[in-house]
Amino acid sequence: MAVLSIRQVFKHFDGVAALRGVSLDVEAGEILGLIGPNGAGKTTLFNVISGVFPPSAGAVLYEGRPIHGLPAHAVARMGIGRTFQIPRPFADLSVLRNVLVALGHRAVQHPLTALRPCEQAEALAEAHRILSRVGLSEHEATPARFLPLGLQRHLEVARALALRPRLLLLDEPTAGVSGREADAMMALVRQLRDEGLTCVLVEHNMRVAMGLCRRIAVLHYGEKISEGPPEAVARDPRVIEAYLGTEDERADR
């Protein structure tokens, strides 16, 4: 059984179709790549999966159970964690406390009250383990606002891991970072996969996507236009046209 099954999902915004009948399965233990030009619907699909908003039509099944229409906090507690294109830490809190807030969310609803039940040895020990796992141990006392972008993206992953997910949605985890930082993120994602997590990766950096994923799905104008091994997808005429335009369009440039 697939960990995640997306069945003919549509999403409309004021009559504009952001997703058009997308179907996709995510298998346990894989890193699935989700690529496509800007505006293709990739983040919209993540938002539907994670409960930010419901689909206009279609179904999303997680471990065989329907989750479409559930609120984001309920989806997270079922075992789906995610990161965002733009890191959203509590900027004035330390790296450690950012993770403690996420740990507290397993038991309470409000981020301010989430700090209090986590001031205990067990939660602190888990937070330290998570920070070590993502390579942030030496930065645990640093206010999140002072982390460089690459490490803020690692903190995003740490906060998602605090929810103890089995499926991790990574939205452009290497955007805006150096090649060395991208390599560090790739190593982290592989490590998480090796530890048993299933990952879906939205990525514009083709070196990262092709290097991490054995299977890639391509969205264009809200439709899935290709799916398969990276080498096959890269040769697909529909994918080439989506990124580069038709031959006539390329000739006119």
Side-chain angles (χ1 to χ4, degrees):
M1 179 187 297
V3 171
L4 180 72
S5 293
I6 299 161
R7 293 286 175 261
Q8 286 294 306
V9 164
F10 289 78
K11 183 61 186 178
H12 296 88
F13 296 100
D14 296 326
V16 176
L19 295 173
R20 305 166 183 259
V22 175
S23 293
L24 189 65
D25 286 329
V26 182
E27 301 299 329
E30 77 169 328
I31 304 171
L32 173 70
L34 187 62
I35 69 172
N38 288 330
K42 305 180 295 297
T43 295
T44 299
L45 184 58
F46 267 20
N47 285 336
V48 168
I49 295 168
S50 60
V52 175
F53 38 64
S56 301
V60 179
L61 305 178
Y62 174 62
E63 297 181 336
R65 295 170 291 177
I67 62 171
H68 47 280
L70 292 178
H73 70 269
V75 173
R77 287 176 179 170
M78 290 180 72
I80 299 178
R82 72 167 293 182
T83 67
F84 294 85
Q85 289 180 16
I86 300 173
R88 302 176 181 181
F90 294 101
D92 294 324
L93 294 182
S94 70
V95 166
L96 178 62
R97 278 187 169 266
N98 266 271
V99 176
L100 286 171
V101 168
L103 287 170
H105 267 289
R106 294 206 301 260
V108 296
Q109 297 284 342
H110 195 279
L112 294 180
T113 60
L115 287 169
R116 289 195 290 272
C118 284
E119 301 296 341
Q120 49 187 293
E122 183 178 345
L124 284 168
E126 184 171 359
H128 289 308
R129 285 194 297 270
I130 291 170
L131 291 177
S132 176
R133 197 175 175 191
V134 302
L136 286 176
S137 292
E138 64 184 72
H139 302 283
E140 67 176 36
T142 303
R145 68 167 66 250
F146 295 128
L147 289 179
L149 178 59
L151 293 183
Q152 285 196 23
R153 295 199 178 282
H154 281 244
L155 179 56
E156 279 278 290
V157 175
R159 297 198 307 161
L161 293 177
L163 298 174
R164 296 178 182 170
R166 297 182 295 281
L167 172 64
L168 187 59
L169 310 177
L170 300 166
D171 198 349
E172 296 192 36
T174 69
V177 306
S178 69
R180 183 175 179 180
E181 290 169 326
D183 289 342
M185 179 59 73
M186 291 174 70
L188 174 59
V189 175
R190 288 192 186 100
Q191 172 193 325
L192 296 175
R193 185 271 318 275
D194 291 345
E195 292 174 0
L197 272 179
T198 301
C199 300
V200 182
L201 176 81
V202 166
E203 188 54 71
H204 281 291
N205 185 325
M206 289 300 100
R207 179 180 72 86
V208 172
M210 299 295 180
L212 275 176
C213 307
R214 293 186 178 179
R215 187 164 62 99
I216 288 178
V218 186
L219 297 185
H220 187 45
Y221 290 123
E223 297 183 18
K224 188 180 74 175
I225 61 170
S226 186
E227 180 182 348
E231 300 81 6
V233 166
R235 294 192 301 266
D236 191 325
R238 296 168 297 177
V239 177
I240 295 170
E241 182 176 320
Y243 276 96
L244 301 178
T246 63
E247 289 187 12
D248 289 342
E249 289 170 338
R250 296 198 295 272
D252 289 339
R253 290 173 187 168

